[in-house]
Every structure is written in structure tokens, then in C-alpha cells.
């Protein structure tokens, strides 16, 4: 098995075995990583428009997955607010992609980073409170 296949196998296993909260963090991490890459290419005035486009589309895919994960029954207003934010993020990324505007991407990346940190704190808090509990899962409200 070459290194590339090993890394892919590890990533696949990590995703399949991650709990709901960890998956949310992984989606944020990937979206942020892709936006950082697109901003870096745009900042370097790169003509790699295919790579920029691919990174932005990948970030949009991650945000769309975050939207799909929302539980409006459990999450109520929080889920509704997050849905609106995610919709805004996708619109901003689409516009930034068309305009090749790194500022719009940076704004989205920064806001995703703040949300990611909030989720990390929530998940860490729930994990420490539920130690010894058999439930093991997390109810995703947004």
C-alpha cells in the first residue's frame, strides 16, 4: 500500500468512526482549509483558476453538508439561524468565485472559524459531562 492509499484509508476510517459532533468539526475544518487555499492562491495573483474554483466548490460542499445536518426539531431558532448563515456563506462563496474576490472568502473563513470554535467548546463540554455515560452520541441541533 503506498502512502497516498494509507492516508485515504485513515481519513475514511476517521470519518466512519467519528461521532456526530466530531463530523461537524471535520466539516468546518475542511471548509476552512479549502478557503485558506483559495485565498492564498488569489493573494498570490495565481492564474490557477481551476484550483481556486475547485477549492471554493469544495468549501461550498462542506457548508451544504453542515446545512443538511441541521435538526430543526431539536435546534429550533438556533438551527434556523445557522441555516440562514450557511445560506449566506454559500452565496458569498459563489460571488467570490465569480469575482475572484479573496476578501469575501476571508470573511466567510473567519466566520466559519468562529463557529468551529464554538462547536468545539460545545462538544468538549458535552464530552466531559457525559463521561461514563453509555449514550456516546451527540444530538446535533445545528
Amino acid at each position: 500500500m503506498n502512502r497516498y492509499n494509507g492516508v485515504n484509508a485513515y481519513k475514511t476510517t476517521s470519518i466512519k468512526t467519528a461521532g456526530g459532533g466530531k463530523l461537524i468539526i471535520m466539516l468546518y475544518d475542511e471548509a476552512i482549509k479549502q478557503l485558506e487555499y483559495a485565498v492564498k492562491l488569489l493573494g498570490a495573483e495565481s492564474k490557477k483558476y481551476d484550483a481556486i474554483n475547485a477549492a471554493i466548490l469544495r468549501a461550498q460542499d462542506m457548508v451544504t453538508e453542515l446545512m443538511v445536518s441541521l435538526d430543526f426539531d431539536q435546534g429550533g431558532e438556533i438551527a434556523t439561524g445557522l441555516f440562514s448563515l450557511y445560506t449566506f456563506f454559500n452565496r458569498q462563496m459563489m460571488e467570490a468565485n465569480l469575482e475572484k474576490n479573496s476578501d469575501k472568502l476571508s470573511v466567510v473563513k473567519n466566520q466559519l472559524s468562529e463557529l468551529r470554535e464554538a462547536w468545539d467548546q460545545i462538544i468538549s463540554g458535552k464530552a466531559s459531562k457525559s463521561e461514563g455515560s453509555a449514550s456516546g452520541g451527540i444530538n446535533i441541533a445545528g
Side-chain angles (χ1 to χ4, degrees):
M1 178 185 299
N2 67 32
R3 183 178 182 280
Y4 180 75
N5 288 339
V7 171
N8 280 340
Y10 174 77
K11 285 181 182 179
T12 300
T13 301
S14 295
I15 291 168
K16 287 181 179 178
T17 60
K22 181 65 176 164
L23 286 174
I24 297 294
I25 297 294
M26 292 169 80
L27 289 168
Y28 278 113
D29 286 345
E30 184 63 23
I32 292 163
K33 179 178 128 183
Q34 294 299 324
L35 290 175
E36 285 174 345
Y37 181 63
V39 167
K40 177 183 169 187
L41 288 176
L42 286 169
E45 297 181 16
S46 172
K47 300 295 184 197
K48 297 181 180 179
Y49 296 121
D50 56 335
I52 294 166
N53 179 60
I56 295 170
L57 291 177
R58 179 88 171 133
Q60 285 180 287
D61 287 345
M62 298 303 107
V63 171
T64 299
E65 285 298 320
L66 288 166
M67 292 171 87
V68 171
S69 75
L70 293 171
D71 182 340
F72 292 96
D73 293 333
Q74 295 291 320
E77 289 181 29
I78 293 172
T80 302
L82 284 170
F83 186 86
S84 295
L85 267 176
Y86 296 153
T87 301
F88 170 76
F89 294 159
N90 271 335
R91 186 173 47 249
Q92 288 295 103
M93 287 186 283
M94 180 186 66
E95 290 175 8
N97 200 2
L98 291 171
E99 301 166 5
K100 301 302 180 230
N101 183 325
S102 64
D103 291 337
K104 285 184 179 182
L105 294 178
S106 292
V107 168
V108 172
K109 180 186 72 71
N110 292 338
Q111 291 176 338
L112 284 170
S113 294
E114 288 179 26
L115 286 169
R116 186 241 184 254
E117 291 307 312
W119 269 104
D120 191 41
Q121 289 176 9
I122 290 167
I123 293 163
S124 296
K126 286 188 178 185
S128 64
K129 287 180 185 175
S130 66
E131 283 180 2
S133 158
S135 66
I138 183 169
N139 191 354
I140 301 172

